[in-house]
Amino acid sequence: MYRGRIAPSPTGYLHTGHARTFYTAWQRARQTKGQLVYRNEDLDALRCRSEFAAAAIHDLRQFGLDWDEGPDLINPSNPAGGPYGPYNQSERGPYYLQAWQQLFERGVIYPCPWSRADIRKYLETQEAKNGQRPMPNGGQHADSETVFPAALRSPIPTERPASNPGNTNWRLRLEYGRQIYFQDQQQGPQVFTAGIDFGDFLIWRKDGWPSYELAVVVDDAAMQITEVVRGMDLLLSTARQIILYELLHAEIPAFYHCELVTDQNGQRLAKRHASLALRNVLQQISPVEIRATLF
Ligand code: GLU
């Protein structure tokens, strides 16, 4: 049975790029007579707002999508919105904590005192000193994401601390040089190298919540998702997530990465493109016409 998902983050109004990705997810679930899950990825308390969560559901329904499980489908006979609820990430804390425990027990994560600004500063200082960024395990990935440098790694804790992560960031210690392969259903074969394309990445945030990478793997596994449809901007994240599926002994789903929608200058859409907010476009043209412009 195909199980797909739509997983928006309520940090602003959805734009037509989201509509394209989510329509593809919906279509793939419906064509295979599978199920579609709606998951509200509301973990970032500073950026997420409940009015955007409500707007995303409203706008996608108006666009013509529907789903079989989700936070808006709660009723007395379906108290969690479906068999794998809750479907708001902010209500799934215990699942994430359990995954943190599992990774801790496996001895693959370590607490990291460095902030993003510290890491950037370290890389800049090294560059000024040596004329180049520390290689091969530090540097700048093409998408300008900072690769966490080996020199800033902390040891893996050997003694069991408290049974929770505490107020600190945790990173996954990678096996440098390891290649991650996957066959993308839309983009074809992909390969990324740990330590070059990405560094030790964040697992847990000091605000008490998991990183995006951990939360999404825990939820996709718990919700029995068989195919993840998402934007191409997340290809690198998928490589990181495959490592987590393995470490958590979870089944790796299939992946389908959609092309991104760009504006007239070739810039990929972001929530700041207010004129391309799905709700604004829906006031001018019909869902069918929107789809015709997107595909
Ligand atoms: N919530 C993420 C976003 O809106 C996407 C999650 C995913 O597809 O893995 O960018």
Side-chain angles (χ1 to χ4, degrees):
M1 162 71 96
Y2 181 103
R3 283 180 59 82
R5 59 20 163 226
I6 290 177
S9 302
T11 56
Y13 292 118
L14 297 183
H15 53 63
T16 51
H18 297 112
R20 186 185 197 281
T21 302
F22 297 153
Y23 184 80
T24 304
W26 176 84
Q27 205 177 23
R28 290 179 71 77
R30 294 297 173 242
Q31 274 167 357
T32 50
K33 304 225 178 314
Q35 289 164 339
L36 189 64
V37 171
Y38 186 106
R39 187 170 68 232
N40 176 34
E41 304 217 316
D42 59 345
L43 283 188
D44 188 338
L46 290 178
R47 295 173 60 228
C48 294
R49 300 219 312 246
S50 58
E51 71 225 59
F52 291 134
I57 288 174
H58 173 271
D59 297 353
L60 289 174
R61 287 210 180 274
Q62 216 189 334
F63 186 51
L65 305 193
D66 63 353
W67 41 88
D68 309 294
E69 300 166 28
D72 59 330
L73 297 176
I74 292 175
N75 62 48
S77 59
N78 190 22
Y84 301 93
Y87 296 92
N88 292 312
Q89 285 193 322
S90 58
E91 294 169 44
R92 298 180 60 81
Y95 291 93
Y96 307 133
L97 211 47
Q98 198 188 357
W100 175 86
Q101 288 273 6
Q102 239 175 300
L103 294 174
F104 178 82
E105 303 292 345
R106 298 208 63 170
V108 292
I109 55 174
Y110 60 87
C112 175
W114 309 110
S115 69
R116 246 182 235 234
D118 295 332
I119 298 164
R120 207 174 315 118
K121 203 158 140 215
Y122 170 83
L123 291 172
E124 281 164 12
T125 314
Q126 291 298 308
E127 191 172 16
K129 233 174 27 198
N130 307 325
Q132 60 178 42
R133 299 257 163 144
M135 292 296 281
N137 304 320
Q140 209 69 15
H141 185 260
D143 69 2
S144 84
E145 189 165 356
T146 301
V147 175
F148 185 80
L152 295 187
R153 281 176 154 177
S154 308
I156 300 271
T158 46
E159 267 175 50
R160 201 160 172 27
S163 56
N164 67 68
N167 296 329
T168 175
N169 289 328
W170 288 74
R171 288 181 184 273
L172 181 77
R173 190 180 175 96
L174 294 175
E175 191 189 315
Y176 284 150
R178 178 177 165 199
Q179 298 199 306
I180 317 295
Y181 295 91
F182 60 97
Q183 180 67 32
D184 189 69
Q185 304 296 314
Q186 171 73 353
Q187 309 298 334
Q190 304 291 318
V191 57
F192 294 96
T193 306
I196 292 178
D197 293 314
F198 56 96
D200 289 0
F201 57 89
L202 211 58
I203 286 294
W204 199 268
R205 307 188 321 214
K206 60 177 193 250
D207 66 2
W209 289 99
S211 67
Y212 156 70
E213 310 290 7
L214 182 63
V216 89
V217 167
V218 168
D219 289 343
D220 284 336
M223 295 177 181
Q224 310 259 312
I225 299 303
T226 61
E227 182 180 80
V228 170
V229 176
R230 54 163 64 124
M232 265 183 77
D233 53 330
L234 291 172
L235 274 168
L236 189 60
S237 276
T238 294
R240 296 188 187 102
Q241 291 172 23
I242 286 173
I243 298 177
L244 289 178
Y245 279 103
E246 289 177 1
L247 290 168
L248 295 169
H249 299 299
E251 196 153 335
I252 302 173
F255 296 99
Y256 184 109
H257 288 80
C258 300
E259 280 74 30
L260 300 178
V261 176
T262 53
D263 66 11
Q264 65 273 34
N265 304 318
Q267 291 285 314
R268 132 181 162 207
L269 294 196
K271 285 176 177 147
R272 69 188 130 75
H273 285 85
S275 63
L276 294 171
L278 180 57
R279 55 179 38 210
N280 293 338
V281 182
L282 277 166
Q283 282 183 355
Q284 291 154 35
I285 58 176
S286 71
V288 175
E289 290 167 307
I290 297 178
R291 287 203 293 279
T293 68
L294 291 175
F295 288 95

